[in-house]
Amino acid sequence: FPVTIRSNYRYGGFEDSSLENIKIGDMVLIRLFHDSPTHAAVYVGNDTIWHHTANRLSHEDSLSKWVKRISKVLTYKGE
């Protein structure tokens, strides 16, 4: 993600959360091919995320499949 997203998510109403406290609607930042996050997904409950990867339509996937690549969990608190 551009530096502006990684460092300014609080201005958009998001706050840090954790996998232990994840809830429906939280955004999960994922590291793909880099040490910093380059991908995002939305948690929809029951160990399930929705995301869009290259050359595929948006789809559901298992959160636990990505857990080793998750760099941050964000929850929306509003502005």
Side-chain angles (χ1 to χ4, degrees), residues 8-55:
N8 292 320
Y9 60 87
R10 286 183 180 88
Y11 294 114
F14 287 91
E15 294 181 358
D16 288 313
S17 187
S18 65
L19 284 173
E20 294 79 20
N21 296 312
I22 197 165
K23 63 182 189 295
I24 293 172
D26 283 356
M27 182 167 47
V28 180
L29 302 183
I30 301 169
R31 296 180 309 272
L32 291 179
F33 314 114
H34 299 280
D35 291 336
S36 59
T38 57
H39 188 66
V42 177
Y43 183 68
V44 295
N46 297 321
D47 190 49
T48 304
I49 58 172
W50 273 89
H51 65 128
H52 177 91
T53 52
N55 302 317

Side-chain angles (χ1 to χ4, degrees), residues 4 8 23 31 41 47 57-59 68:
T4 54
N8 292 320
K23 63 182 189 295
R31 296 180 309 272
D47 190 49
L57 296 175
S58 295
H59 60 282
K68 289 185 179 181

